[in-house]
Amino acid sequence: MVSQAIQPKRNRITQWLAADTMEGIRRQRALLGYLFIAPSIIGLLIFIIGPMIATFALSFFKWNVFRPPEFINFENFTRLFSDPRVFTAFRNTFLLVIMTVVMLEILALALALSVHRLASRPLSYFFRTSYFLPVLLSGAAVAVTLGYMFHRDFGVINYYLGLLGIPKISWLTDSNVVLWSVSLTTVWRNLGFTFIIYLGGVSSLPTEILEAAQVDGAYGWRRLKSVVLPLLSPTILFATVTDIIKMLQFFDEPFIMTRGGPGDASRTVVMLMYENAFGNLAFGYGSAIALILFAVILLVTGIQFALSRRWVFYS
C-alpha cells in the first residue's frame, strides 16, 4: 500500500525534472551542477568543516582517549594563557615566519626576474626545473639531509666554512643560531613554489606598459620600483599570504632537525600542539592551542588584506 502511494509521487518528481520546457532545462542544468560539486562539498564537510567543529568542541573538554570526555568549560584556555611555553612557541613561530617569508619573497622574485630575462629557452627550462625540484621532495627527507649538513662536527657546511678560516658554528645546538638553520632549510625546500608564482606574474606583465616605460627613460631600479613592482603587487600579495599561512604552521623541519631544542629555542606552536595532544594525550588542551593558532592565522590574513588596499593595484 505504501509503495503504491509513493509511486505517483516519484513519477511527478521525474516529470518535473525531465520537463522539456525552459524552466525544466534550467532545473536539469542546476541539478547537473550540484552533482559535479557534490564530491568537493562532501570532502570539505568530512575533512575540513567536521574536524574544525570537533576541535572547537574538544577544546572545552578534558580527554585522553581512554576515559570519557569531561567538560571543563574554559579551563584549557585559562591554562593556555598562563603557560609560558605557549608564548615561547608563538615567539619562535613569528620569528621563523618573518625570517623565512622575507628571504623567500626576495629570492623568489629576484630569480623569477632573472630567469624571465634569459634569451635561451633550454637554459630557462633548466633553471625552472632545478628551482622547482626541491618542492617535490619529502619535507622529512629534506630535514634529515640538511640536518646532517648542518652538523657542527661532521657537517659539510662547517667543513667549507673551515676552509675559509671561519670557526665551526653550532647550527642546531646554539639557541641564537638554530632558528636561522631551520629557516634556511625551509627556504631551500619552498623556494621553487614561490618562484613559480612570481614567474607566472612576471610573464603576464603587459609588454606595452614596459615598452612605454623604456621610451620614457625608466631603466634598472627605477623601472623595477615604479613600474614592475606595482604591476606585480597582486602576485606579491598572493605569494605573501599563502607563504605566511603555510609558515605559521611550521612543523616538519624543526621537529626532525632539532625536536624543538636546544631547550625550547626552536619549538613552534604546531609542535607544542602535537606534543600535548599526541604525546601527553591532552587532546582538549591541544585543541585549544589549535583553535588559538587558527584565530591568529585568521587575524594575520585579515590584516594583510586590509593593508593591501594601500599598495595593491588591480588595474
Side-chain angles (χ1 to χ4, degrees):
M1 291 294 290
V2 175
S3 62
Q4 287 177 354
I6 292 173
Q7 191 61 35
K9 192 174 181 182
R10 284 181 179 168
N11 290 338
R12 282 199 300 275
I13 293 172
T14 306
Q15 288 171 0
W16 180 72
L17 282 174
D20 284 335
T21 60
M22 289 301 292
E23 193 64 29
I25 292 170
R26 283 196 200 98
R27 281 196 295 268
Q28 291 159 22
R29 287 181 177 174
L31 179 64
L32 196 62
Y34 288 128
L35 286 174
F36 277 129
I37 63 171
S40 300
I41 292 176
I42 292 170
L44 195 71
L45 288 172
I46 293 175
F47 297 109
I48 308 278
I49 307 290
M52 285 175 69
I53 294 172
T55 302
F56 178 76
L58 206 55
S59 64
F60 296 98
F61 286 84
K62 181 182 180 181
W63 186 47
N64 68 353
V65 179
F66 298 105
R67 293 177 183 172
E70 178 189 348
F71 182 71
I72 55 173
N73 214 332
F74 292 96
E75 198 174 302
N76 282 324
F77 293 96
T78 308
R79 177 185 167 191
L80 187 152
F81 287 112
S82 60
D83 187 350
R85 295 187 77 199
V86 172
F87 290 98
T88 304
F90 267 104
R91 188 202 63 187
N92 293 340
T93 304
F94 279 121
L95 286 174
L96 280 171
V97 168
I98 293 169
M99 289 190 288
T100 307
V101 172
V102 168
M103 282 193 281
L104 263 180
E105 306 310 316
I106 293 175
L107 279 174
L109 179 58
L111 290 174
L113 290 170
S114 305
V115 170
H116 181 67
R117 289 169 64 90
L118 286 175
S120 167
R121 183 160 295 202
L123 204 58
S124 171
Y125 287 143
F126 169 76
F127 281 115
R128 291 181 193 193
T129 308
S130 303
Y131 293 143
F132 193 74
L133 268 179
V135 179
L136 306 178
L137 299 177
S138 154
V142 170
V144 170
T145 307
L146 270 291
Y148 281 116
M149 292 177 70
F150 278 117
H151 194 280
R152 184 182 185 280
D153 297 318
F154 310 112
V156 68
I157 295 175
N158 271 350
Y159 169 76
Y160 284 111
L161 290 178
L163 295 179
L164 299 173
I166 299 174
K168 289 182 178 178
I169 299 173
S170 302
W171 293 101
L172 303 177
T173 53
D174 186 338
S175 56
N176 296 318
V177 183
V178 66
L179 289 182
W180 283 105
S181 311
V182 174
S183 178
L184 288 170
T185 304
T186 310
V187 168
W188 184 81
R189 181 173 165 239
N190 292 280
L191 181 64
F193 181 76
T194 312
F195 160 75
I196 288 296
I197 292 174
Y198 279 123
L199 190 62
V202 171
S203 303
S204 61
L205 291 179
T207 53
E208 63 272 15
I209 295 180
L210 298 176
E211 289 169 358
Q214 280 186 342
V215 171
D216 291 340
Y219 291 96
W221 169 248
R222 188 180 167 196
R223 179 170 175 262
L224 178 68
K225 180 186 170 188
S226 305
V227 181
V228 175
L229 288 181
L231 289 173
L232 267 180
S233 55
T235 308
I236 296 171
L237 174 67
F238 175 76
T240 50
V241 167
T242 52
D243 282 337
I244 287 176
I245 290 174
K246 193 192 309 177
M247 299 311 160
L248 279 170
Q249 301 169 68
F250 256 108
F251 181 77
D252 294 0
E253 289 83 0
F255 183 74
I256 293 171
M257 293 173 73
T258 66
R259 297 279 172 179
D264 284 333
S266 60
R267 198 172 307 282
T268 63
V269 180
V270 178
M271 282 182 68
L272 194 66
M273 178 187 70
Y274 170 81
E275 287 165 1
N276 276 286
F278 297 98
N280 304 333
L281 295 183
F283 286 94
Y285 188 52
S287 299
I289 297 174
L291 213 59
I292 294 298
L293 178 62
F294 174 72
V296 168
I297 292 174
L298 211 60
L299 180 66
V300 171
T301 307
I303 291 172
Q304 283 181 278
F305 277 106
L307 292 177
S308 70
R309 294 173 187 168
R310 299 184 179 180
W311 62 273
V312 176
F313 305 96
Y314 291 103
S315 58

